[in-house]
Amino acid sequence: LKSACKLLKALYGEKPIILIDEYDRPVTSLLYSRERLDEFLRSYSSWLTGGLKDNIEELKFAVLTVITQISFNQTFSKLNNLKISNMLTPGGFADHYLITEAEVKDLFKQVMATEIKKEELTELREYYNGYTLPGNNTLLYNPYSVMGYLDARKDKAESPL
């Protein structure tokens, strides 16, 4: 990571941003073997520390996404100024990744060319919402799940059977 950042900075004249999606995927895949996990964490931690903490001169910042919030103590114990935020953290990023019920209604109208019925919204709510922000009673939905629901509804509506 450090070498790649140095090269990118030289090529583009700006410090690069590192994006590591699902950084914990290798960790979760090794949970069945404590010995392999410990060995991996040592090298992974060193790689991340070298690429992130020891790379201040060449790196603007880094964003790491996770599936499960695990291994922060071991993996990131050497990192400074680490900010952990999740979708449900007040003031976090939920409004960028989830959609509100009002947005679900608008999306339904656009895709299905009709208003959503009360029973359809109830069904959708039972299966696909599940997120409420702390200190806020706004129901939030996973957009991927809502789109899957709408695709299934549209297919059913267009079926001649």
Side-chain angles (χ1 to χ4, degrees), residues 41-101:
L41 283 176
R42 279 190 298 277
S43 63
Y44 196 45
S45 177
S46 177
W47 179 75
L48 285 172
T49 301
L52 303 177
K53 182 180 178 183
D54 300 338
N55 201 11
I56 299 300
E57 297 301 316
E58 309 298 337
L59 175 66
K60 187 169 186 175
F61 65 86
V63 175
L64 288 76
T65 67
V66 299
I67 299 169
T68 57
Q69 193 170 326
I70 62 168
S71 302
F72 284 113
N73 290 342
Q74 262 188 310
T75 309
F76 292 119
S77 62
K78 297 177 184 170
L79 295 179
N80 297 331
N81 302 315
L82 180 66
K83 181 175 191 247
I84 299 170
S85 182
N86 65 49
M87 292 189 326
L88 303 179
T89 301
F93 300 101
D95 57 340
H96 299 289
Y97 298 106
L98 301 171
I99 57 178
T100 65
E101 194 161 275

